[in-house]
Amino acid sequence: MNIKRIIRGVQDDTQYYLHGGISRDIDQKRIEKYISIIYSEILEENRKLFGTTMMIKGPRKSNELTTNRGTHQYRAAGIAMIASDKLGLNTKIVETAGQNHDLGHTPYGHSVEWWESEILKDIGMGYRCHNALGVKRLMYSSQIYDKIINKIKEFNPDLSQNKLDKIRRSLWLILDPMLCHNGESSKRKLMVEPNLRKTEADFQEDLEKCFYIEDYDRTLIPGTAEGSLFKIADVISYVGQDMIDGLREGIITDLDSEYKEMLAEFGISSDEIDLAIAKKSYDAIAKKIEVVATKDLIENSTKRTVKLSPKMLDMICRLKDKNNKEIVDKVVRPTENQKFPKAIRELFYRFSNVFYQVGDEVLGEIMCGNIEQIQKIQERYKDTQYSGFIKYLCNMTKEDYDFTVKMATDATIYATRQELEEALNDEQPKDDKYSMRNQRIEEMRKEIYEQNLTDMIEEDKRQYVVKYIQKRQYGESSGNFVPMSKRIGIAIGSDYIGTLNDREFVELLQKSGLLTPEEFNDIHIKYNQLSKEELDMDTRQDKWKEVAGNQRADLQIGE
């Protein structure tokens, strides 16, 4: 028995309880009693993920065993549950959060999420990350807290209102691991320590900042040891699966010597690898990686600090980097990397124009509860490219709409302030794909110089931002500034696209005339039928810059 580990565990457990662990455990026990109800209600929102990309783009998937978002969630949760049980954590909460952690994922994996963020940054209205989108959908669109409490009351009619209120105030502990699970942010960290002083208000602030601060989701600290555990379990679950999915789909046809050297560190022999490839049965390789990494996680973790050993972290990071180079960077072809961002931007502008025309009418009928008129509006757009968007709009809750407006407003103010700082610092544009943003900064720089505003204090900056937005919102609106009414439509359109699976997303592009029949068919060609050149991403950046430079000439913003 490792005496040093026992001593360290006692010390860490003591620190865990001294830093708020007792209170946190009580809150988790309170909701654990009703976890089956909580799980069933959240699961209802999670059905689409079995048709949503993990890494392999759905329309080109050829192997039924290839991972999708749904199967990834179960695998990641299983790893976390084993470790949780061994570490004395709350396994039921780990299971519920883990099996639903990716429900905010956009179609086409991370790609649509990143493309949308680049477009929104250019417009000056924030970012998108699947962590926050999933939690937002649960809290505001699905109103999951109300559903859970109502069902608990239904099956436990004798519970007092005071107890129900306490349960409700603890439900954020289920959503916090979902919000904070972004494993990529832990790539080079040895451990994840939970912030046991984190409150529901802190959780809410974290959620909101994800929508307007770039990469804020990668800085999040979970409020529970369970959330810390899941951040690492998430990475363990996909690092081996990405590799074998590349084999299954023909992106790679063999494991080269570099791969074999890495796998040997996990205790996987060349004979095991050769046998798996000969049989085209790769699960044993991925499972062995998961087992070895999970044992290391358990061996090096306590309730207070969740971590991998330095050696295991290095092994996982090197394998992940190799996967990115050989597989992950090739799943989106250069032609799609040019076509799809442009198409998404065009959809944003179309949705914003439709919202500008009917948004007030729809929202008015929703507030009045006029179901007949809402159905007539949906019927009006039934056979158009906007039918899905209108249906999504007509089913928005007031809370969801209010939150969307608040995030669009906060993101606009924050982005304008960031652009002002760059103008004051006389910074030159860092990336020419943000043409609208660069134009706004240049406008500010010129205005600052002409009006001699270089010595602004904090209050001056705040007033400048407000006046800048108001002036362009109601007066001098230009091609590089989208009015707020259109921004709300874009935000709703972005949320709508996020609810689609891969097939629905591609069909929307085709229905909207943004994909030709030939392009639509081309998307469905399997990876093993593509040439190396068609998967080669080396020229991605040069081609992307060329496309970005042409976007503003091709797409017009409706005033």
Side-chain angles (χ1 to χ4, degrees), residues 451-465:
Q451 299 181 26
N452 194 24
L453 301 173
T454 54
D455 296 326
M456 288 187 188
I457 61 173
E458 186 62 30
E459 181 61 23
D460 295 333
K461 293 175 182 178
R462 190 190 67 79
Q463 291 183 8
Y464 180 91
V465 167

Side-chain angles (χ1 to χ4, degrees), residues 356 409 412 465-478 481-488 559:
Y356 188 75
T409 304
T412 299
V465 167
V466 172
K467 289 178 181 178
Y468 180 89
I469 295 172
Q470 287 179 341
K471 187 163 60 174
R472 283 152 184 80
Q473 171 72 9
Y474 302 110
E476 302 172 14
S477 184
S478 62
F481 189 88
V482 181
M484 187 56 68
S485 57
K486 298 289 183 72
R487 287 172 182 251
I488 295 169
E559 296 298 336

Side-chain angles (χ1 to χ4, degrees), residues 259-273 284-285 288-293 311-312 315:
Y259 262 129
K260 287 182 177 179
E261 287 175 11
M262 291 179 183
L263 294 180
E265 296 181 62
F266 287 94
I268 302 170
S269 69
S270 292
D271 289 344
E272 288 177 286
I273 295 169
I285 296 176
K288 193 158 188 178
I289 292 171
E290 292 170 7
V291 168
V292 172
K311 181 182 178 182
M312 180 56 64
M315 288 162 57

Side-chain angles (χ1 to χ4, degrees), residues 176-188:
D176 187 61
M178 300 183 197
L179 181 64
C180 299
H181 82 263
N182 197 344
E184 290 84 348
S185 64
S186 302
K187 184 179 176 186
R188 298 296 176 186

Side-chain angles (χ1 to χ4, degrees), residues 243-256 259-260 273-274 276-280 282 326-327 330 527-532 535:
M243 180 184 66
I244 67 172
D245 282 345
L247 285 166
R248 283 178 176 139
E249 295 294 331
I251 298 174
I252 56 175
T253 56
D254 200 354
L255 296 177
D256 61 22
Y259 262 129
K260 287 182 177 179
I273 295 169
D274 293 340
I277 291 176
K279 289 184 172 182
K280 296 189 182 301
Y282 313 107
E326 301 294 339
I327 303 167
K330 296 180 180 179
Y527 286 103
N528 56 15
Q529 297 173 316
L530 297 171
S531 68
K532 182 179 183 301
L535 293 173

Side-chain angles (χ1 to χ4, degrees), residues 387-434:
S387 58
F389 173 73
I390 291 295
K391 182 178 179 181
Y392 179 85
L393 178 63
C394 288
N395 282 279
M396 286 187 79
T397 64
K398 180 180 183 301
E399 291 78 7
D400 192 16
Y401 178 75
D402 289 346
F403 185 82
T404 302
V405 171
K406 182 179 187 303
M407 290 303 95
T409 304
D410 289 352
T412 299
I413 293 169
Y414 187 85
T416 305
R417 175 59 187 267
Q418 294 298 107
E419 291 163 11
L420 172 61
E421 293 293 347
E422 290 189 32
L424 286 168
N425 294 331
D426 205 26
E427 295 182 25
Q428 296 303 311
K430 297 182 178 69
D431 198 329
D432 58 9
K433 71 184 173 192
Y434 299 118

Side-chain angles (χ1 to χ4, degrees), residues 203-229:
F203 161 77
Q204 180 69 30
E205 183 180 346
D206 280 346
L207 171 63
E208 295 182 7
K209 285 183 176 179
C210 285
F211 286 95
Y212 61 84
I213 298 179
E214 189 170 16
D215 291 333
Y216 185 79
D217 62 310
R218 295 175 180 269
T219 70
L220 297 177
I221 304 297
T224 62
E226 289 75 9
S228 298
L229 172 67

Side-chain angles (χ1 to χ4, degrees), residues 46-52 103 105-107 137 498-501:
N46 200 9
R47 297 185 183 278
K48 81 179 185 75
L49 288 185
F50 289 92
T52 301
L103 62 84
H105 246 289
T106 59
R137 192 175 303 156
T499 66
L500 306 178
N501 62 30

